Amino acid sequence: MKIISIFLPYLGCQQRCIFCNQQILNDVFVAPAEIQIRKKISAAIDTLPKGGDAEIAFFGCSFTSMPLDKQEMYLKIADEFKDSVNGIRISAHPNSFPKEVIRLLKKYDVTTVELGVESMSSAVLKESGRKYSSDDIINNIKVLKSAGLKVVGQLMLGLPGDTKRRFIKSVKDLADTKIDFIRLHPTLVLKNTDLEVKYIQNEYQPLSLEEALEWLLDAFDVLEESKI
């Protein structure tokens, strides 16, 4: 499956998370214009092998936190290519799915929602500036799955306040929701973030490569057992 990624840096985001710098991550400083999006999608589709699968994805944003008209503008562009791709996926804040948003996603046949869960630990979420609870995450996964959408939960290991025990419990708690996929991201210290300030002031120490691998291997055991 080829993912045709369209990055919309910070659109819909209510605050800058402690670890986030979309410009460094994706080398995109502003959201592309509509004509640029169409060109990128067309060019990517042209590279697909015959019968190849692809999804159009809107990343780097809290898509469902944007005004409805803006969400629809982007979904309409993706819909123009519906005969050439298998679906649309979006990245979203875990607490932004009122009924009108669900109706809009269904109208344009969005297939997959990637939730920036990051952690199921209240302590870790608080230290990272994430303003939601594990109950919010669980409830909104239920809302999305009942609407027939596939759900990806993104977890980060090694956030401020995180421990191996807390991280593995986050993996188990998220797996227990019967979510479709879990994506795992080791925490990196990026320039021009609050996390960089904490690192410089010796208030945060990232995981070593060996620690990250150890945590990930234990997480994989949980996911394999859960068939996720």
Side-chain angles (χ1 to χ4, degrees):
M1 171 76 72
K2 181 180 179 65
I3 304 296
I4 304 171
S5 300
I6 307 298
F7 289 98
L8 308 173
Y10 301 121
L11 293 190
C13 295
Q14 303 302 309
Q15 81 271 347
R16 182 77 61 90
C17 295
I18 192 171
F19 49 78
C20 188
N21 185 327
Q22 287 294 327
Q23 285 84 3
I24 286 178
L25 283 173
N26 305 307
D27 198 29
V28 177
F29 289 81
V30 295
E34 293 180 51
I35 189 169
Q36 292 173 304
I37 295 173
R38 290 186 176 92
K39 284 182 177 179
K40 181 169 183 178
I41 295 172
S42 294
I45 289 171
D46 287 343
T47 67
L48 290 174
K50 189 174 182 180
D53 294 337
E55 283 186 345
I56 297 170
F58 294 103
F59 286 155
C61 59
S62 296
F63 192 91
T64 55
S65 298
M66 292 190 288
L68 279 175
D69 59 344
K70 199 155 195 174
Q71 293 181 51
E72 187 160 26
M73 179 192 80
Y74 289 117
L75 292 174
K76 278 183 177 179
I77 295 173
D79 191 60
E80 295 171 17
F81 300 90
K82 63 184 178 182
D83 294 334
S84 301
V85 299
N86 301 83
I88 303 169
R89 72 171 57 204
I90 59 171
S91 63
H93 189 278
N95 199 20
S96 53
F97 299 100
K99 290 180 180 179
E100 59 269 24
V101 165
I102 296 294
R103 282 196 294 267
L104 186 65
L105 300 183
K106 295 293 290 180
K107 176 181 176 180
Y108 287 95
D109 297 321
V110 171
T111 47
T112 306
V113 177
E114 297 214 14
L115 295 179
V117 172
E118 318 315 358
S119 178
M120 298 291 279
S121 162
S122 297
V124 175
L125 290 172
K126 184 177 180 179
E127 285 205 45
S128 299
R130 307 290 285 182
K131 297 179 180 179
Y132 50 84
S133 67
S134 57
D135 286 342
D136 294 327
I137 297 164
I138 292 167
N139 290 337
N140 279 297
I141 289 172
K142 288 178 182 176
V143 167
L144 292 167
K145 288 186 70 67
S146 66
L149 294 156
K150 291 182 180 178
V151 186
V152 181
Q154 300 177 1
L155 287 175
M156 295 180 69
L157 53 148
L159 284 166
D162 206 5
T163 63
K164 183 181 176 183
R165 188 173 185 176
R166 281 176 172 172
F167 170 67
I168 297 303
K169 186 176 187 306
S170 286
V171 176
K172 290 178 179 177
D173 289 349
L174 195 55
D176 285 345
T177 68
K178 307 303 179 186
I179 200 166
D180 297 282
F181 308 96
I182 293 178
R183 189 196 294 270
L184 302 174
H185 298 273
T187 302
L188 301 179
V189 179
L190 302 178
K191 282 191 172 295
N192 301 320
T193 63
D194 289 344
L195 193 60
E196 183 196 24
V197 175
K198 283 183 171 290
Y199 175 71
I200 290 170
Q201 295 176 347
N202 293 318
E203 295 175 3
Y204 172 75
Q205 181 63 42
L207 297 178
S208 67
L209 177 59
E210 290 75 17
E211 288 172 321
L213 288 171
E214 182 184 334
W215 291 26
L216 286 167
L217 286 169
D218 286 355
F220 286 156
D221 289 340
V222 173
L223 298 179
E224 286 182 353
E225 187 177 334
S226 304
K227 295 182 168 52
I228 293 178

